[in-house]
Amino acid sequence: MRGSVLLAALAALLLPISPSPAQQAPIDAMANDKVGTYDWVRPQADFVRREVMIPMRDGVQLYTVIVVRKGVHDAPILLSRTPYDSANTTLRNRSQKIEEILPVADAEFVRDGYIRVYQDVRGIHRSEGDYVLARPLRGPLNKTRVDHSTDAWDTIDWLVKNVKITNGKVGIIGSSYLGFTALMATIDPHPALKAAVPQSPMVDGWMGDDWFHNGAFRPFAFDYILRQVVARGAGPVPDGEGDQYASYLAAGSAAQFARVWGIDRVPGVRKLVEHPVYDAYWQNQALDKLLAARPLTVPLLLVASQWDQEDSYGAFAVYRALKPKDADGALVHLALGPWRHSGVNFDGSALGPLKFEGDTARQFRTRWMKPFLDCHLKTDPPPCETPPVLTYATGVDRWTVADRWPAGEETPLYLAAGAALSFARPGQAGADDYVSDPAKPVAMLPRPIRLDGDSWRTWLVQDQRFAEGRPDVLTYAGPVLDRPLHIKGAPRVELHAATTGRDSDWVVKLIDVYPRETADSGLAGYELPIGIEIFRGRYVGGFDSPAPLEPGRTYAYRWSLPNVDHVFLPGHRIMVQVQSSLFPLYDRNPQSWVPSIMDARPEDYVKATQTIRYGGSEASAVWLPVAKD
């Protein structure tokens, strides 16, 4: 293959400079000092790294890197298909040890003789073809012969036929976009694909993964798209102030922001701006629905993160879709760790101010994830003992096992008079009001805000005291708990609310309030978010049928917060906050009626009085999935 020929040519090029100085003729002072390349992998390296171009059924060749420890034979293959540059991923540094050149999460596998394979998806970095962001499956949106499913099939077929030291069994693994490609490989899978571990997978970009949540748009998508698709000048849109709150606010609507910064003609940007509704474009890409319509044959270990700032929706959507097809419980497994997005692949000892009992990510990888793959991929496999559901209970810091998910029974926690919370339904009806002003949206973090680095990775555990005092944030708190309260599932919001506007966003936060005096002084009085989620009011009648709200009318808005396993400890209190913006994570709702919020004009943004009702027949509540420990 081309990769082998290339390596041989490079080795031949370096031969003239290999002899010792004593064996070489003196060099001319004007000799050309440039050489073609330098191969830093020395003979003492404990690995072999091979670059190949694997042909797909349409003739396009995909750049693929194969890395394996020397001396390995009869070995399983662990494949990842990525848009994030396989060459750099497999050259973390210039060590001669295989564990050092690969990502940290690969160490346990390559030590045990796995063949590690990374591949650039078509059209990006060194792979040929056209790049389509999250390329849809063949069908209504993709009239070609190829997609990520066929590319995975062709890749696996080539690997098992051409990598002579393999035992012919392949697993696929990866997080985020790589979780998406891992799931796509299980659609019409190659017979050699024996297991998949999709981590924080992109599944439905409109319902609750990267681009939208319940209809509310996430403008940081523009930065991601530019990084992915622009050959020169890629990177985040410049904001000029170091505060994306200010830059997004000044630009106006999402479409206007795209025009201001000259990205409105970028195809990936246009696709988002032109499809603000849950139309056929999004529905035909919903991977949970596509998987549910096909036979289930590949064992899955779906991995999720409790504080996933990017893809909190996908793993659980696939679990809900596929678990009914898993009659004997052998094929679909679910895991939830106390991590940020993709945190399973990094150090899991802490998240922001939270400290856990050891490196929870490494615990999971060694105790459960690798054994899951071993039992399906090894020639003489150990027994398959992966639990149906494995979750980490934050608050008490321990791993727990369950037979199903959710593992708690819904119990309503009602909003009540006096900014209180109560497990008893308030008999008397009442209401609280606040004014929502799009010119002064509620910030997601203390300003200045940059949606990158640690501030982005940890924003979901940000102390919420910064928002509590705002007049446009309602805060309800329960009494001090005298016993633990364990929740295992997705808390469900039932908000009875009205607005004087024609549209409105609703944001609900479920918060664990730490005692004012605690052994960990850094958390004294801390308001820890357990779940934060938004709902765009125009979709109360259906996500595919937006409609203006009737001013003053009370609607019942129902949606879910992210899935959690958490224990509220004695001495803590439960808090719920309600607001109508979460900026700049989500674009502002103008609160007047416009056909597309993407195209809202400055004059469309108006103040509105928001009314939250409690008690009686319109009892707003957060339904907690309470576990019986």
Side-chain angles (χ1 to χ4, degrees), residues 253-272:
S253 68
Q256 179 61 17
F257 181 88
R259 286 190 289 270
V260 166
W261 290 104
I263 60 174
D264 52 314
R265 296 187 179 182
V266 174
V269 171
R270 289 187 56 194
K271 291 172 185 178
L272 297 181

Side-chain angles (χ1 to χ4, degrees), residues 267-398:
V269 171
R270 289 187 56 194
K271 291 172 185 178
L272 297 181
V273 171
E274 293 174 9
H275 295 279
V277 178
Y278 198 55
D279 56 14
Y281 174 81
W282 296 109
Q283 294 178 34
N284 288 329
Q285 294 184 70
L287 196 46
D288 55 328
K289 299 178 180 65
L290 295 171
L291 288 164
R294 286 165 167 77
L296 174 62
T297 60
V298 178
L300 291 175
L301 175 55
L302 297 158
V303 182
S305 298
Q306 182 155 306
W307 286 285
D308 192 323
Q309 75 278 14
E310 296 178 28
D311 294 305
S312 60
Y313 178 85
F316 295 96
V318 172
Y319 178 83
R320 289 192 300 270
L322 295 185
K323 195 58 183 176
K325 302 162 71 75
D326 185 21
D328 60 4
L331 292 178
V332 181
H333 308 270
L334 177 68
L336 175 65
W339 312 309
R340 59 158 171 105
H341 180 68
S342 300
V344 64
N345 294 312
F346 300 94
D347 185 285
S349 303
L351 182 65
L354 303 180
K355 306 295 188 293
F356 307 122
E357 291 295 324
D359 184 346
T360 59
R362 189 172 186 277
Q363 290 167 11
F364 172 74
R365 295 195 305 265
T366 57
R367 297 180 193 174
W368 291 287
M369 190 175 81
K370 185 174 179 295
F372 168 81
L373 289 166
D374 287 348
C375 82
H376 293 291
L377 300 181
K378 287 202 167 185
T379 300
D380 297 311
C384 291
E385 298 177 342
T386 308
V389 177
L390 174 74
T391 58
Y392 189 87
T394 55
V396 293
D397 290 323
R398 64 171 182 258

Side-chain angles (χ1 to χ4, degrees), residues 75-289:
I77 294 171
L78 191 57
L79 168 68
S80 293
R81 306 191 61 252
T82 177
Y84 301 128
D85 194 349
S86 293
N88 285 338
T89 299
T90 56
L91 294 175
R92 189 159 58 96
N93 59 41
R94 294 195 168 193
S95 172
Q96 305 302 303
K97 295 182 179 297
I98 190 170
E99 297 97 333
E100 296 297 323
I101 69 165
L102 292 173
V104 171
D106 286 337
E108 291 88 356
F109 294 99
V110 294
R111 286 193 196 111
D112 195 27
Y114 275 72
I115 303 166
R116 196 64 175 97
V117 178
Y118 284 88
Q119 180 181 76
D120 290 342
V121 298
R122 64 171 55 221
I124 201 164
H125 299 296
R126 304 188 192 186
S127 283
E128 299 173 351
D130 294 330
Y131 181 67
V132 179
L133 184 66
R135 178 182 291 266
L137 193 71
R138 290 157 294 151
L141 299 174
N142 179 359
K143 302 298 184 181
T144 74
R145 298 171 52 211
V146 297
D147 55 30
H148 286 300
S149 176
T150 64
D151 283 353
W153 201 102
D154 294 345
T155 298
I156 293 170
D157 194 62
W158 188 95
L159 290 170
V160 297
K161 290 177 179 176
N162 291 275
V163 179
K164 300 306 181 184
I165 59 173
T166 182
N167 66 0
K169 296 182 179 181
V170 179
I172 192 164
I173 192 171
S175 185
S176 194
Y177 196 117
L178 286 71
F180 159 71
T181 57
L183 283 171
M184 288 289 279
T186 69
I187 295 178
D188 307 321
H190 191 282
L193 182 61
K194 302 300 184 183
V197 184
Q199 305 160 332
S200 300
M202 296 165 45
V203 169
D204 191 323
W206 197 96
M207 287 300 301
D209 286 327
D210 294 276
W211 320 128
F212 295 80
H213 277 218
N214 295 317
F217 177 59
R218 299 179 134 202
F220 76 86
F222 295 152
D223 287 348
Y224 177 85
I225 289 170
L226 288 185
R227 288 188 179 101
Q228 283 283 289
V229 305
V230 179
R232 288 192 301 248
V237 177
D239 60 37
E241 300 183 48
D243 183 5
Q244 287 174 301
Y245 183 103
S247 58
Y248 281 117
L249 189 62
S253 68
Q256 179 61 17
F257 181 88
R259 286 190 289 270
V260 166
W261 290 104
I263 60 174
D264 52 314
R265 296 187 179 182
V266 174
V269 171
R270 289 187 56 194
K271 291 172 185 178
L272 297 181
V273 171
E274 293 174 9
H275 295 279
V277 178
Y278 198 55
D279 56 14
Y281 174 81
W282 296 109
Q283 294 178 34
N284 288 329
Q285 294 184 70
L287 196 46
D288 55 328
K289 299 178 180 65

Side-chain angles (χ1 to χ4, degrees), residues 306-307 351-356 394-395 397 458-465 468 509-515 523-532 564-568 572-577:
Q306 182 155 306
W307 286 285
L351 182 65
L354 303 180
K355 306 295 188 293
F356 307 122
T394 55
D397 290 323
T458 64
W459 85 267
L460 279 172
V461 294
Q462 168 70 45
D463 189 343
Q464 295 300 301
R465 283 178 288 190
E468 184 180 345
K509 307 173 186 174
L510 177 66
I511 298 167
D512 183 346
V513 182
Y514 280 65
L523 291 174
Y526 201 91
E527 295 181 4
L528 174 68
I530 304 305
I532 301 176
V564 298
D565 182 348
H566 181 73
V567 179
F568 296 90
H572 291 226
R573 292 183 300 145
I574 303 175
M575 177 180 286
V576 171
Q577 290 181 355

